Amino acid sequence: LDPILREICQRWASSSNGHFLCKLGKPSMENPEIDPRNGSLEPTRSETSRIELWEDLVKSDRKEEVTWARIKNPQRAIEKAVRCYGQDPSYLVDLCRQTILFQSVTDLNCCLRNILTDQDIEIVRVKNRMSAHNVKSKPGVTARMMKVFGTSSDTGYRDVAINLCITSPEAAARGLTDHICEVVRTLS
């Protein structure tokens, strides 16, 4: 399912000035980092990541530089199912996920319109963490914090996450139309 979701995200990014996180430098196991999620050794990069417009990556034949989101680690998925969903893995909706970045709300909204009219997907849920109207207060979050951040997040992070099923002929042929994916759209 992951390659199908990537292809769909590329299509949406092309039509709405979408950006993706890209890697710089070559991976090296000289000084590997430990992945805190699963304890595995991960190669380090000689430089930091950057954000690139998808169309620029296509034009310059650099699509392989995109750092695609990985499928959720099985150990992390089990932890989340146990901790958050009463041991029911059917509630996990972000095993397969991707993120598209935008430099303006206009482009982010253009992408949303493209998603809403895409015949290859069925929207299951939209989590709008851009709007202060969709805030749920948490213990310790003061009214002043809510006013400053407009969200219960301590950092003020904002995104719009869309849970969706891919209903394309390719997904149907592989029996994947019931799996729920997540696409996060955020401002860069």
Side-chain angles (χ1 to χ4, degrees), residues 3-18 20 54-55 58 68 100 102 110-111 114-115 117-121 164 166-170:
I4 300 171
L5 181 61
R6 286 182 187 184
E7 185 178 304
I8 290 171
C9 287
Q10 291 168 15
R11 188 173 68 220
W12 293 335
S14 286
S15 61
S16 59
N17 291 319
F20 292 104
W54 175 247
E55 285 302 303
V58 171
W68 297 107
I100 307 173
F102 298 93
C110 177
C111 183
N114 294 333
I115 292 170
T117 59
D118 193 321
Q119 299 297 309
D120 289 335
I121 63 118
L164 55 91
I166 300 175
T167 58
S168 68
E170 183 180 7

Side-chain angles (χ1 to χ4, degrees), residues 7 15 21-22 31 33 68-69 85 97 104 123 133 157 188:
E7 185 178 304
S15 61
L21 188 64
C22 294
N31 295 309
E33 296 176 349
W68 297 107
Y85 303 125
R97 68 226 193 246
S104 74
I123 295 176
H133 299 292
Y157 175 79
S188 58

Side-chain angles (χ1 to χ4, degrees), residues 32-42:
E33 296 176 349
I34 297 175
D35 186 332
R37 296 168 293 178
N38 61 18
S40 67
L41 291 178
E42 296 291 325

